[in-house]
Amino acid sequence: MSESRDSGEGSAGYPGWRVVFASSVGVLTGFASLLVYTFGIFLKPLSAEFGWSREAVSMAFGFAAMTVAVCSPLLGRLLDRYGPRRVIVPCVTVFGLAFAALSQLSPRLWHLYAMFVLIGAVGNGTAMLAYARAISSWFDQRRGLALAMMLTGGTVGAVAWPPAAQALILHFGWRWAFAVLGGLVLLVGLPTVAFMVRENPASRKPAGDAQTGVEWSEGLKSRAFWILAVVLFLASISQNGMITHLPALLTDRGVDSGRAALAVSAMGFAAFAGRMITGWLLDRFAAPKVGFVLLAMAAGGVFVLAGARTLETGIVAAALIGFGMGGEADVTPFLLSRYFGLRSFSTLYGLTWTSYAIAGAIGPILMGRAFDSASSYGGMIMKLAVLTVGAAALMLFLPALPESLEKRPEPVLPGPLLTAEEPLPPVG
């Protein structure tokens, strides 16, 4: 006997929630969490070890981000065509091996850059782009909450990875830190996502969500798509510039390295709260207005950080940035699925990631160049704050969401093979 759409999603035994859990673990051990939130911790040790400037080391992050920008639309097309599991498993495998291989870095800068290009090529196959497709196929009425819970894996990583990486570096050196963290991807993340992440089999039927909505080429003609792409571009310059240089910024201002890592963790705690609250808000209120408030909070945090001289002020700034940017990460996939449906969802999401990733390459480099030329981040931080204000204002120009939501199919409990992806194991 089939359940109603909402009661199925509200049940603790609904198989979609296990997909959410596994996706959260995947995000935790993926590119957008492990690499992004530990890069700033490794910046100074690599610079000291090889005599590289901060701008030179930051270029590695830029190469990874640019590769993500190039590869995300292709990964999106593969996700739409073959389903999440066939894309995620090989990407997680390559990511874990490449991250561990950073332990063997040589003094040649091209070696660092080549490894980050490889990591960037598979990066979004380990991040929310890949998992959002699977989750959106299982949820409609609770889609905002489900996406938020998936993204909490990234916020847990923001809390856990910086102090963990710092402790590993202090006790065993940066080479062992890379090896251990890469090993965790292979031992924890890979088995979890390989066994539990599945697209809803019914979503591939003609009446399912994956068959409704617009083609990606039609989506590119939409004002909503381009506003989202520009918002992500502006916000990403600020967010990635802050994350990658926050530990260095605070230690330059007299905070010891161990305590500076706590500020990055504070950003993670706030992002966790922001994402959960945002998921609840998205299912109840106008998403563009929710996005405006979140980005306005993030802009306030960047302004505070410009004058931060103590750990306490740095934590306040990081918390505001984390809450705002963390919540905004929920808004983009939610709006894309509502404006355009799931037919080409991953392709369109991948294209917005191109915008995000290009800006993600620019932000850290601008911060590194600002410090190398002026021995200070202050002026650049103020410029990034203004960009974030602009991103917030653009959210108010998004069109209203369609009045009627597309119906998704009745929940399909795991059973015999129905699609190219294997079903989940039986509940209970």
Side-chain angles (χ1 to χ4, degrees), residues 41 143 157 171 196 224 277:
I41 306 299
R143 188 177 292 172
H171 290 91
M196 298 179 70
I277 293 172

Side-chain angles (χ1 to χ4, degrees), residues 7 45 70 76 140 183 216 264 278 340 352-353 368 405 427:
S7 64
V70 172
D140 181 11
W216 66 271
V264 183
T278 300
F340 307 113
T352 65
W353 262 97
L405 301 178
V427 179

Side-chain angles (χ1 to χ4, degrees), residues 140-141 143 283 333-341 401-402 405:
D140 181 11
Q141 295 297 304
R143 188 177 292 172
D283 290 331
F334 181 87
L335 283 173
L336 288 172
S337 70
R338 293 308 194 202
Y339 281 129
F340 307 113
L401 290 172
L405 301 178

Side-chain angles (χ1 to χ4, degrees), residues 17-260:
W17 291 115
R18 283 187 296 157
V19 177
V20 171
F21 167 77
S23 298
S24 183
V25 174
V27 171
L28 167 65
T29 56
F31 175 94
S33 176
L34 180 59
L35 182 76
V36 170
Y37 287 107
T38 63
F39 184 85
I41 306 299
F42 285 102
L43 192 152
K44 275 192 169 181
L46 291 178
S47 181
E49 175 82 12
F50 299 116
W52 298 331
S53 70
R54 292 189 191 182
E55 182 181 353
V57 178
S58 298
M59 282 289 291
F61 191 93
F63 276 112
M66 290 301 295
T67 311
V68 167
V70 172
C71 294
S72 290
L74 173 61
L75 286 171
R77 291 294 288 166
L78 293 174
L79 288 161
D80 285 333
R81 183 169 183 179
Y82 298 109
R85 183 168 174 264
R86 289 184 172 181
V87 177
I88 291 170
V89 170
C91 285
V92 172
T93 302
V94 173
F95 174 71
L97 291 172
F99 199 93
L102 288 170
S103 63
Q104 303 303 309
L105 278 176
S106 68
R108 298 175 179 86
L109 261 176
W110 68 261
H111 187 187
L112 174 69
Y113 295 159
M115 293 304 300
F116 271 73
V117 167
L118 176 61
I119 289 171
V122 298
N124 255 349
T126 73
M128 57 280 291
L129 169 64
Y131 299 107
R133 166 94 208 183
I135 289 171
S136 294
S137 73
W138 286 99
F139 294 91
D140 181 11
Q141 295 297 304
R142 296 172 185 255
R143 188 177 292 172
L145 178 61
L147 288 170
M149 293 182 69
M150 175 265 288
L151 288 166
T152 57
T155 58
V156 171
V159 173
W161 292 134
Q166 186 67 50
L168 287 169
I169 291 170
L170 288 175
H171 290 91
F172 305 105
W174 62 267
R175 293 186 184 275
W176 272 106
F178 275 128
V180 170
L181 294 174
L184 287 175
V185 175
L186 300 173
L187 294 175
V188 177
L190 180 60
T192 303
V193 301
F195 183 64
M196 298 179 70
V197 173
R198 300 288 189 278
E199 192 172 33
N200 186 349
S203 70
R204 291 281 169 179
K205 292 183 177 181
D209 260 1
Q211 302 301 320
T212 59
V214 304
E215 293 290 349
W216 66 271
S217 56
E218 187 177 346
L220 290 182
K221 300 174 184 177
S222 166
R223 175 166 61 97
F225 173 84
W226 288 106
I227 288 176
L228 286 172
V230 173
V231 166
L232 286 174
F233 183 87
L234 297 177
S236 176
I237 292 178
S238 179
Q239 178 186 19
N240 286 288
M242 294 299 100
I243 291 173
T244 54
H245 286 266
L246 180 60
L249 181 151
L250 292 177
T251 55
D252 289 342
R253 296 178 179 182
V255 179
D256 70 75
S257 60
R259 298 180 73 205

